[in-house]
């Protein structure tokens, strides 16, 4: 029966780690601007090209 | 008629901003531009290999504004720098600018590539929803002023506000709400998981030790929910009680408290599994409602005072030298310089130059006022024409216009005079539930005290008004979003409620009922041919007078020809010489030499511009305000349900015309000062009316603030509007009756939602009354009733809005 206790302990720990991840994401402002990153990701290609040019 | 020839050559669009090019004179290689400003931006970008800007979005550019040399000089001032900079260690600094013109992905790309235009910039990041760019730069290689000038030259004029601390508090509040939701959700899920044996009736099969273990685990998990996540409700309930108001948070607090205490009791004494799952779930759902309600339009600014309109700095002349100082340091007796198109920030006396001041901003009067030496010039006017020198006679905050902000209305936070719907309901609701619970307890008391307590708490749990607490934020929040999609932006959800309760609407005239940009222009006299009209257009192009600008726009389509000689006579008119002759435009006296009328306003309230070509008088253009499209219909519809009033800063010449639109019962007042408007609204409120003010300019600022809901009409929502509760895009003016009716329906939707939750309550109340209430019932009932009420209110409000023609 004690295996259930271990399992529950593990499950709570896993859930807690997700909670911590969420709190961290809020703290670092990842929910503040939900639009710009979606546009920014489309620009990255060109920036890399430019860096190569500079090399 | 020459009108037919307009735009016959296929339209050429500016490569930079996409506006129609009026001629083909401004070009570079194969690209055409509408003005030299746009061309300049293109040149800067192409030199720096940034032409990708034009690939990302069609014609993304913004025409840069004409800028005076010293516009950003004040950013060199140490005190101003301290206020503007986010961080500095002397070497690297960070600054965040608000850029209202930001509008597309090209803007993001260009602003994030600032380092390619200015070596000193190490990083720039855009927050598009808030229209902000954060820039990190080396103090040695560049300066704050240079960065601001660079942004300005690209058309992205940074809007610098020295008192912008309020936004930060709001974002912290949202963050905290997310923390609370995260914790409540985490606890909710885990407690539910641990309660599963209970739900399925398995607890009797399993080891009783588990029962205890799960109970204690639930208790531990629920502690942060009870003490942290739901803390807002305790604070709000307490605040309400202190003000002798039972707000909606009080019964919620009561419900949460009873859930927690009873569960604690059951778990410790091991008499049951407790209701911790219901408590965590309740708090979780309530907080989600809060997030839904807290939607804000970040890029909108609802809190502007005169400071946002006035320049941040002025040029002061002292002993022959010009220095730029922040506005706040201007003292009585200083001599200040005001250039063409600059706003006069403080009451002063005209000392040198020709004053030709446009007060449209303050009074709504559209034609500029001429001022001579020694006359008093009030703050808020805009100088048009040449440079003037003024002597300051009052402090900035004591001036005619700015003095309005010293009024008490602006000192205190706007507090609702009306009791909110939820407060009215919760007062009776709380009373009823407590009485019911007491009756239940009294009924069972003779049998067993234990059972009486059981019934008492069960009734309080069952009647916890979570469905009501959710119906309100979801209905108002959803309606706010619908309005936002249709270009009517409101400050927060409570504005919907104020709109729904209003019984009087007060309008401003200029800029609200009339259109600022569009005017009706008619020519009377001997017809002019195309060549002559070209000459006229070329001549008015040289002038910054508002009437000249209007004529210039009206005559678009005629070619620009070279002006050999141009003279502007302030307050009189202009004359221009071209290869094919001379033109003269202006007042009657200036053009014809005689003066037949007493003022420049005719019966129909139009301004007249007289025209002479080659010395021969040809006739006049009459330029009149044009009313918004659909005005008559809109007013008529509103008039059926509301008391309409009109407060105008303008003269009375349009009274007969407006009488036709408004009919009875209309209270119309003209020549109202900003202060008068505020007092008028206040008087209406004292009579017991609930008032909506609809205005546009700074002169309405006091009235907008005083009213229960102030709506400002704006041609361009991202730009120019005084402090208000809602911003309506001007083209949507005819939607006003629909907006009001949807807002009115919102209360009905909430009452219906409440009725639905009441049905649930009555069913379960019976079970609670019999003392048969179990955790599983609470665990099923609470989410089901809440979710069905939320769905109902959202769907119904969508339906109502759609039927009224909203997107």
């Amino acid at each position: 029966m004690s295996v259930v206790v271990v399992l529950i302990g593990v499950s709570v720990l896993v859930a807690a780690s997700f909670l911590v991840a969420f709190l961290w994401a809020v703290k670092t402002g990842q929910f503040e601007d939900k639009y710009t990153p979606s546009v920014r990701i489309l620009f990255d290609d060109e920036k890399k090209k430019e860096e190569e040019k500079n090399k | 008629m020459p009108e037919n020839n307009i735009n016959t050559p296929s339209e050429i669009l500016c490569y930079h901003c996409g506006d129609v090019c009026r001629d083909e004179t401004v070009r570079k290689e194969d690209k055409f531009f509408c003005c030299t400003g746009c061309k300049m931006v293109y040149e800067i970008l192409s030199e720096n290999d940034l032409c990708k800007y034009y690939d990302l979005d069609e014609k993304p550019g913004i025409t840069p504004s004409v800028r005076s040399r010293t516009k950003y000089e004040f950013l060199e001032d140490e005190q101003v720098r301290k206020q503007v900079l986010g961080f500095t260690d002397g070497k690297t600094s960070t600054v965040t600018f608000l850029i209202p013109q930001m509008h597309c992905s090209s803007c993001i790309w260009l602003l994030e590539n600032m380092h390619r235009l200015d070596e000193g910039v190490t990083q720039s990041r855009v927050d598009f929803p808030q229209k902000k760019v954060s820039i990190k730069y080396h103090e040695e290689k560049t300066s704050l002023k240079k960065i601001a000038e660079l942004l300005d030259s690209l058309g992205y004029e940074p809007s610098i506000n020295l008192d912008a601390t309020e936004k930060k508090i709001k974002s912290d509040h949202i963050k905290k709400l997310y923390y609370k939701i995260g914790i409540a959700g985490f606890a909710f899920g885990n407690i539910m998981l641990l309660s599963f044996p209970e739900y399925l009736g398995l607890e009797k099969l399993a080891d009783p030790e588990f029962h205890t273990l799960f109970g204690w685990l639930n208790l531990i998990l629920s502690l942060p929910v009870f003490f942290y996540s739901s803390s807002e409700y305790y604070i709000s309930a307490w605040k309400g009680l202190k003000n002798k108001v039972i707000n909606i948070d009080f019964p919620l607090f009561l419900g949460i408290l009873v859930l927690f205490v009873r569960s604690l009791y059951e778990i410790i004494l091991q008499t049951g599994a407790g209701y911790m799952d219901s408590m965590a779930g309740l708090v979780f759902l309530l907080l989600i409602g809060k997030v839904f309600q807290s939607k804000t339009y970040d890029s909108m600014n609802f809190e502007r005072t005169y400071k946002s309109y006035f320049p941040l700095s002025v040029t002061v002349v002292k002993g022959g030298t010009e220095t730029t100082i922040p506005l706040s340091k201007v003292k009585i007796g200083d001599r200040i310089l005001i250039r063409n198109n600059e706003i006069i920030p403080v009451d002063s006396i005209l000392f040198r130059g020709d004053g030709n001041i446009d007060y449209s901003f303050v009074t709504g009067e559209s034609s500029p006022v001429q001022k001579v030496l020694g006359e008093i010039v009030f703050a808020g006017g805009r100088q048009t024409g040449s440079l003037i020198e003024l002597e300051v006679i009052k402090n900035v905050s004591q001036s005619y216009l700015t003095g309005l902000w010293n009024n008490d209305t602006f000192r205190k936070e706007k507090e609702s005079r009306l009791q909110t719907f939820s407060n009215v309901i919760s007062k009776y609701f709380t009373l009823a539930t407590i009485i019911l619970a007491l009756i239940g307890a009294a009924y069972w008391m003779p049998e067993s005290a234990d059972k009486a307590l059981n019934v008492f708490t069960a009734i309080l749990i069952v009647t916890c008004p979570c469905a009501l607490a959710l119906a309100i934020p979801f209905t108002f929040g959803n309606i706010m979003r619908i309005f936002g999609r249709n270009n009517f932006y409101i400050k927060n959800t409570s504005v919907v409620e104020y709109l729904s309760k209003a019984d009087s609407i007060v309008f401003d005239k200029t800029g609200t009922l009339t259109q600022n940009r569009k005017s009706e222009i008619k020519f009377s006299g001997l017809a002019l041919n195309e060549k002559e009209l070209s000459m006229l257009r070329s001549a008015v192009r040289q002038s910054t007078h508002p009437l000249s600008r209007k004529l210039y726009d009206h005559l678009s389509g005629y070619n620009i020809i070279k002006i050999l000689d141009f003279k502007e006579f302030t307050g009189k008119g202009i004359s221009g010489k071209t290869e094919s002759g001379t033109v003269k435009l202006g007042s009657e006296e200036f053009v014809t030499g005689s003066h037949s009328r007493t003022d420049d306003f005719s019966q129909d309230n139009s301004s007249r511009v007289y025209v002479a070509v080659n010395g021969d008088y040809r006739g006049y253009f009459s330029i009149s305000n044009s009313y918004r499209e659909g005005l008559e219909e809109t007013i008529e519809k509103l008039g059926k349900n509301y008391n309409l009033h009109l407060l105008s800063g303008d003269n009375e010449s349009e009274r007969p015309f407006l009488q036709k639109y408004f009919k009875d019962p209309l209270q119309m007042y003209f020549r109202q000062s900003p202060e008068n408007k505020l007092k008028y609204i206040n008087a209406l409120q004292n009579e017991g009316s609930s008032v909506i003010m609809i205005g546009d300019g700074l002169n309405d600022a006091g009235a907008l603030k005083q009213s229960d809901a102030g709506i400002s009409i704006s041609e361009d929502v991202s730009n120019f509007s005084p402090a208000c509760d809602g911003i309506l895009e001007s083209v949507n003016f005819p939607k006003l009756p629909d907006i009001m009716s949807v807002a009115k329906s919102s209360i009905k939707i909430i009452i219906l939602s409440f009725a639905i939750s009441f049905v649930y309550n009555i069913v379960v109340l019976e079970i609670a009354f019999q003392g048969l209430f179990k955790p599983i019932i609470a665990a099923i009932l609470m989410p089901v009733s809440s979710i069905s009420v939320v769905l109902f209110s959202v769907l119904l409000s969508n339906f109502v809005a759609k039927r009224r023609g909203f997107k």
Side-chain angles (χ1 to χ4, degrees), chain B residues 584-603:
Chain B
K584 227 172 161 188
L585 293 111
S587 69
E588 189 175 14
E589 197 177 359
F590 176 71
V591 175
T592 64
S594 64
H595 198 56
S596 61
R597 294 186 306 138
T598 45
D599 61 7
D600 285 335
F601 287 102
S602 57
Q603 284 301 308

Side-chain angles (χ1 to χ4, degrees), chain B residues 556-743:
Chain B
S556 65
Y558 297 99
N559 289 333
I560 295 291
I561 48 177
K562 210 170 165 197
I563 295 283
L564 300 172
D565 185 31
F566 174 80
K567 280 199 189 92
E568 182 153 11
F569 305 90
T570 308
K572 290 175 187 150
I574 56 171
S575 73
K577 193 174 159 194
T578 67
E579 274 166 358
S580 40
T582 57
V583 288
K584 227 172 161 188
L585 293 111
S587 69
E588 189 175 14
E589 197 177 359
F590 176 71
V591 175
T592 64
S594 64
H595 198 56
S596 61
R597 294 186 306 138
T598 45
D599 61 7
D600 285 335
F601 287 102
S602 57
Q603 284 301 308
D604 53 349
N605 191 36
S606 60
S607 311
R608 288 183 181 180
V609 176
Y610 291 80
V611 179
V613 179
N614 292 327
D616 298 328
Y617 169 66
R618 300 296 291 273
Y620 59 84
F621 286 99
S622 67
I623 302 173
S624 57
N625 287 327
S626 82
Y627 284 88
R628 290 198 185 284
E629 275 168 45
L631 177 73
E632 194 167 0
E633 224 178 300
T634 310
I635 297 292
E636 201 177 311
K637 276 190 205 160
L638 287 173
K640 280 180 198 155
N641 301 316
Y642 299 95
N643 273 324
L644 301 182
H645 305 255
L646 181 86
L647 294 178
S648 175
D650 215 340
N651 59 43
E652 238 172 281
S653 62
E654 292 193 42
R655 180 187 272 278
F657 180 71
L658 284 163
Q659 200 83 52
K660 187 173 73 196
Y661 281 102
F662 280 90
K663 300 186 191 87
D664 264 19
L666 174 84
Q667 291 84 345
M668 292 203 281
Y669 295 90
F670 293 90
R671 297 191 192 280
Q672 297 289 304
S673 74
E675 193 94 32
N676 287 148
K677 291 189 178 187
L678 193 159
K679 281 184 183 149
Y680 185 79
I681 302 264
N682 200 3
L684 278 181
Q685 288 174 332
N686 288 340
E687 284 168 21
S689 296
S690 151
V691 187
I692 293 178
M693 171 74 202
I694 300 177
D696 76 315
L698 261 193
N699 56 327
D700 303 318
L704 287 170
K705 181 90 182 171
Q706 177 67 40
S707 63
D708 295 296
I711 299 172
S712 90
I713 299 253
S714 172
E715 306 280 341
D716 178 1
V717 287
S718 63
N719 249 334
F720 222 51
S721 54
C724 58
D725 300 306
I727 301 173
L728 177 67
E729 203 181 52
S730 57
V731 291
N732 285 317
F733 181 76
K735 280 238 154 144
L736 215 49
D738 294 325
I739 287 172
M740 299 304 293
S741 109
V742 169

Side-chain angles (χ1 to χ4, degrees), chain B residues 28-90:
Chain B
K28 166 125 182 160
E29 287 140 29
D30 58 335
K31 295 169 181 86
F32 293 99
F33 300 94
C34 65
C35 59
T36 48
C38 286
K39 188 183 163 196
M40 217 175 67
V41 179
Y42 171 74
E43 280 168 356
I44 296 174
L45 296 182
S46 67
E47 267 166 39
N48 289 284
D49 201 15
L50 287 167
C51 279
K52 188 173 185 237
Y53 181 62
Y54 297 103
D55 303 336
L56 289 166
D57 239 300
E58 254 334 74
K59 317 260 186 268
I62 306 143
T63 314
S65 58
V66 188
R67 152 172 70 104
S68 67
R69 204 163 23 90
T70 53
K71 190 168 168 187
Y72 294 106
E73 205 98 293
F74 69 99
L75 288 175
E76 304 271 83
D77 185 275
E78 198 46 46
Q79 211 180 327
V80 174
R81 264 170 51 90
K82 242 183 230 166
Q83 274 173 288
V84 175
L85 288 178
F87 160 83
T88 182
D89 62 1

Side-chain angles (χ1 to χ4, degrees), chain B residues 78-106:
Chain B
E78 198 46 46
Q79 211 180 327
V80 174
R81 264 170 51 90
K82 242 183 230 166
Q83 274 173 288
V84 175
L85 288 178
F87 160 83
T88 182
D89 62 1
K91 278 182 191 154
T92 45
S93 307
T94 55
V95 62
T96 303
F97 286 124
L98 177 69
I99 299 185
Q101 282 89 347
M102 200 189 288
H103 64 282
C104 66
S105 48
S106 279

Side-chain angles (χ1 to χ4, degrees), chain B residues 234-399:
Chain B
Y234 314 150
I235 295 166
S236 163
W238 175 242
K239 270 189 192 157
L241 281 185
K242 265 210 298 206
N243 295 325
K244 299 202 173 94
V245 179
I246 292 181
N247 53 27
I248 183 77
D249 290 336
F250 182 77
L252 289 174
F253 156 71
L254 208 63
I256 295 169
L257 183 76
V258 170
L259 274 168
F260 184 75
V261 172
R262 173 150 175 192
S263 310
L264 196 69
Y265 172 85
E266 285 190 5
I267 289 168
I268 290 176
L269 294 182
Q270 296 190 12
T271 56
Y275 301 85
M276 291 306 190
D277 50 346
S278 297
M279 188 201 74
L282 171 71
V283 173
F284 181 62
L285 286 173
L286 287 174
L287 289 173
I288 285 178
K290 268 214 157 116
V291 168
F292 192 79
Q293 193 176 25
S294 70
K295 155 102 186 156
T296 48
Y297 296 101
D298 291 322
S299 59
M300 305 272 154
N301 192 335
F302 296 101
E303 306 293 345
R304 281 180 208 191
T305 67
Y306 64 90
K307 285 180 191 150
S308 325
Y309 298 84
F310 281 18
L312 288 164
S313 62
V314 283
T315 312
V316 175
V317 191
K318 229 177 219 164
T321 54
E322 293 178 17
T323 46
T324 306
I325 61 165
L327 186 56
S328 55
K329 287 188 184 166
V330 171
K331 293 186 299 289
I332 295 172
D334 280 351
R335 295 268 164 81
I336 57 173
L337 289 181
I338 300 292
R339 294 177 181 80
N340 181 22
N341 261 330
E342 284 185 347
I343 287 179
I344 296 154
V346 55
D347 292 356
S348 18
I349 289 176
L350 188 62
F351 191 73
R352 197 156 55 86
D354 293 318
N356 193 33
I357 291 147
D358 171 13
Y359 277 116
S360 57
F361 200 45
V362 185
T363 58
E365 282 274 3
S366 45
S367 54
V369 183
Q370 210 183 329
K371 294 276 178 184
V372 294
L373 299 188
E375 266 192 284
I376 291 179
V377 180
F378 290 116
R382 190 189 288 275
Q383 162 69 357
T384 54
S386 54
L387 179 125
I388 49 171
E389 197 176 321
L390 304 166
E391 187 173 311
V392 177
I393 54 165
K394 268 187 186 164
N395 286 322
V396 176
S397 61
Q398 306 289 316
S399 291

Side-chain angles (χ1 to χ4, degrees), chain A residues 8 19 27 32-33 36 40, chain B residues 112 125 128-129 175 214:
Chain A
I8 283 171
L19 175 68
K27 192 167 189 223
E32 272 167 28
D33 181 0
T36 325
R40 191 179 289 131
Chain B
E112 296 209 334
R125 262 185 113 72
F128 189 77
K175 263 189 185 176
F214 288 175

